[in-house]
Amino acid sequence: MLFERLVVHDTGDTAGAALNMAIDESLLENAAAEPVLRFYGWARPSLSFGYFGRFADVAAEAARRDIVRRWTGGGIVLHGDDLTYSLMTPAGDPASRLGPPAIYAALHEAIRLALLAEGCETRLAAVGAPRISDACFANPVRFDLLLDGRKVAGAAQRRTRRGFLHQGSIQVPHLSERFRERFASGLAGNVEWGKLPAPVIERATTLVSEKYATATWLHRC
């Protein structure tokens, strides 16, 4: 198990692209003693691109999708039909000492086992593939999940003094509600399900107006 205890937020609600990113950052800012896993959906078809990406590369999608720049790195990800999740690991948690690759691999192994219970057999990529596109799911990296050679689960990460943020997308349709339970249970022996704290939502609302919904953030170099 990656953690001893894990708090899961899974309200079933959807949110706009900017608010989804802001909630993840707010959760990391408010990181408590235990790691937090969040599942979320999208109010409209959306596109997220990495912190170091260029808006010019995604601008053509603006008429069809909400576009948001992530705080994490990585490539372009289309959202709407995927299952999106984030994991916040406080700096004081023993798992933080494992390093990004080990956490990445542990999360995707838990997803692999949860998918297997759904009758979907995937495998962890042993090595990265040559980069062929800015689209995240066109470029498998080590420990991504592959289904018949196609990438179906990928993620991006960011580390701060407060902790570690991992944002992932699982692009396998028609997953059951049990999938989320199995995924969470594969990460920790003690799993607690709860609601997002009010201070997290309040701070996220501020981050939307000051950061994620602004042209300055979206178009930054």
Side-chain angles (χ1 to χ4, degrees), residues 49-149:
F49 66 107
Y51 180 82
F52 298 102
R54 300 191 312 157
F55 177 76
D57 294 335
V58 298
E61 291 288 332
R64 296 180 290 273
R65 295 178 178 271
D66 289 343
I67 296 179
V68 67
R69 182 187 296 274
R70 295 189 305 272
W71 198 34
T72 53
I76 298 166
V77 182
L78 302 182
H79 301 288
D81 296 327
D82 61 331
L83 175 59
T84 318
Y85 70 93
S86 56
L87 175 74
M88 279 60 62
T89 304
D93 191 277
S96 286
R97 296 194 290 269
L98 294 175
I103 293 177
Y104 199 102
L107 282 166
H108 279 193
E109 174 63 9
I111 294 171
R112 186 188 71 80
L113 293 174
L115 286 173
L116 189 60
E118 301 268 315
C120 181
E121 188 168 351
T122 60
R123 64 177 179 86
L124 293 175
V127 296
R131 183 181 177 85
I132 61 172
S133 169
D134 289 329
C136 174
F137 279 77
N139 307 293
V141 300
R142 190 183 183 197
F143 301 134
D144 277 341
L145 272 182
L146 306 178
L147 175 62
D148 296 329

